[in-house]
């Protein structure tokens, strides 16, 4: 079964708002986490990643926060734009040789103008 | 799409026919992956290969087969044993290190009539 899940299947925001997409993971052996964005009919695109020795990592308009105590991951998107509308997946990588990424179910972000 | 090509983009087959989906990468990546995505769902791992001439079953390997004769190619065959093959199929690849970024291809939408 999946060990990565997202708290909300959908999130609707207004253009210009900040968006927060949450993800919970349950595999204590996971030490590397990734966020992907998938637009309709396309393959997922890498957004940002974080290793377990960090609590926060910032990119361009995106920030990922990692709380290892409660096994929680979040993606914050600043000044959300209509082009940010997509499905967002978190993925975890257990620190075990030969394992593949484990993906959550995804959150659909809808941005209205 | 990071140098990963999948062809064709849309594929139609009659029930009972085997079909092979192509995945090629020019990123010199060691590992390659196949995922299945159903409407509104997350990514489910079918097969993966970490090195040429070797591959492992994922979570939903039944009814599928793969080969990895060349580093750049990882074709997926959907056999007639797959009970519900209509789906969006995604190929991905990454480098040797577990924390190397995993990139996805554009996907193939298979419809079985």
């Amino acid at each position: 079964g999946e060990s990565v899940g997202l708290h909300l299947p959908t999130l609707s925001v207004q253009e210009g708002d900040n968006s927060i997409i949450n993800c919970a993971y349950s595999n204590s052996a996971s030490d590397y986490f990734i966020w992907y964005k998938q637009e309709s009919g396309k393959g997922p695109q890498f957004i940002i990643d974080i290793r377990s020795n960090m609590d926060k990592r910032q990119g361009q308009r995106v920030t990922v926060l990692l709380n290892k105590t409660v096994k929680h991951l979040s993606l914050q998107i600043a000044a959300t734009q209509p082009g940010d509308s997509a499905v967002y997946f978190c993925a975890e990588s257990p620190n075990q040789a030969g394992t593949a990424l484990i993906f959550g179910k995804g959150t659909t972000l809808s941005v209205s103008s | 799409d990071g140098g990963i090509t999948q062809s064709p983009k849309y594929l139609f087959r009659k029930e009972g026919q085997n079909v092979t989906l192509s995945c090629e990468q020019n990123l010199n990546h060691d590992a390659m992956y196949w995922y299945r995505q159903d409407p509104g769902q997350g990514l489910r791992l079918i097969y993966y290969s970490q090195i040429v001439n070797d591959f492992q079953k994922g979570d939903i390997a039944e009814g599928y087969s793969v080969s990895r004769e060349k580093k750049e190619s990882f074709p997926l065959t959907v056999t007639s044993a797959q009970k519900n093959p209509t789906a969006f199929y995604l190929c991905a690849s990454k480098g040797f290190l577990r924390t190397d970024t995993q990139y996805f291809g554009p996907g193939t939408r298979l419809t079985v009539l």
Side-chain angles (χ1 to χ4, degrees):
Chain A
E2 293 182 353
S3 65
V4 176
L6 290 166
H7 293 304
L8 291 174
T10 61
L11 178 64
S12 296
V13 301
Q14 292 280 102
E15 182 177 2
D17 287 352
N18 294 334
S19 302
I20 300 176
I21 301 171
N22 295 305
C23 177
Y25 67 95
S26 59
N27 191 331
S28 300
S30 293
D31 63 354
Y32 175 60
F33 305 88
I34 312 100
W35 281 100
Y36 285 91
K37 171 187 179 182
Q38 185 179 27
E39 296 175 352
S40 183
K42 297 184 178 180
Q45 286 179 283
F46 171 87
I47 303 173
I48 192 168
D49 59 2
I50 188 168
R51 302 189 187 202
S52 60
N53 61 351
M54 301 172 71
D55 297 323
K56 178 180 179 179
R57 191 168 187 214
Q58 288 185 292
Q60 190 173 8
R61 276 201 311 118
V62 295
T63 300
V64 55
L65 298 177
L66 176 63
N67 185 331
K68 296 180 287 293
T69 303
V70 295
K71 296 191 181 68
H72 184 267
L73 190 68
S74 68
L75 177 70
Q76 300 179 358
I77 305 174
T80 314
Q81 302 167 359
D84 295 326
S85 294
V87 179
Y88 290 82
F89 293 97
C90 63
E92 63 177 303
S93 176
N95 186 7
Q96 295 160 346
T99 57
L101 290 178
I102 302 169
F103 284 85
K105 288 190 168 71
T107 289
T108 300
L109 176 65
S110 298
V111 183
S112 52
S113 305
Chain B
D1 300 317
I4 304 173
T5 57
Q6 290 186 244
S7 60
K9 186 170 177 65
Y10 298 97
L11 190 55
F12 296 89
R13 279 294 182 270
K14 291 183 180 179
E15 195 173 341
Q17 290 182 333
N18 291 359
V19 59
T20 297
L21 280 58
S22 168
C23 178
E24 303 278 330
Q25 54 99 0
N26 62 2
L27 302 168
N28 198 33
H29 283 169
D30 292 286
M32 297 186 74
Y33 306 81
W34 274 107
Y35 295 88
R36 170 185 172 136
Q37 188 174 35
D38 293 286
Q41 301 298 312
L43 304 171
R44 292 189 289 169
L45 183 64
I46 305 173
Y47 268 99
Y48 63 106
S49 167
Q50 295 183 300
I51 196 169
V52 174
N53 293 322
D54 188 39
F55 48 82
Q56 289 80 39
K57 292 182 179 180
D59 300 318
I60 55 165
E62 186 175 349
Y64 300 97
S65 66
V66 293
S67 63
R68 186 86 188 277
E69 296 175 4
K70 299 187 294 183
K71 188 175 185 179
E72 59 269 24
S73 179
F74 191 40
L76 173 74
T77 297
V78 184
T79 75
S80 56
Q82 168 49 232
K83 290 182 171 42
N84 185 16
T86 295
F88 189 47
Y89 290 88
L90 287 158
C91 178
S93 71
K94 64 185 285 294
F96 178 76
L97 297 177
R98 186 171 58 87
T99 53
D100 282 338
T101 302
Q102 181 168 308
Y103 295 98
F104 284 85
T108 291
R109 188 166 300 279
L110 172 64
T111 303
V112 175
L113 306 171

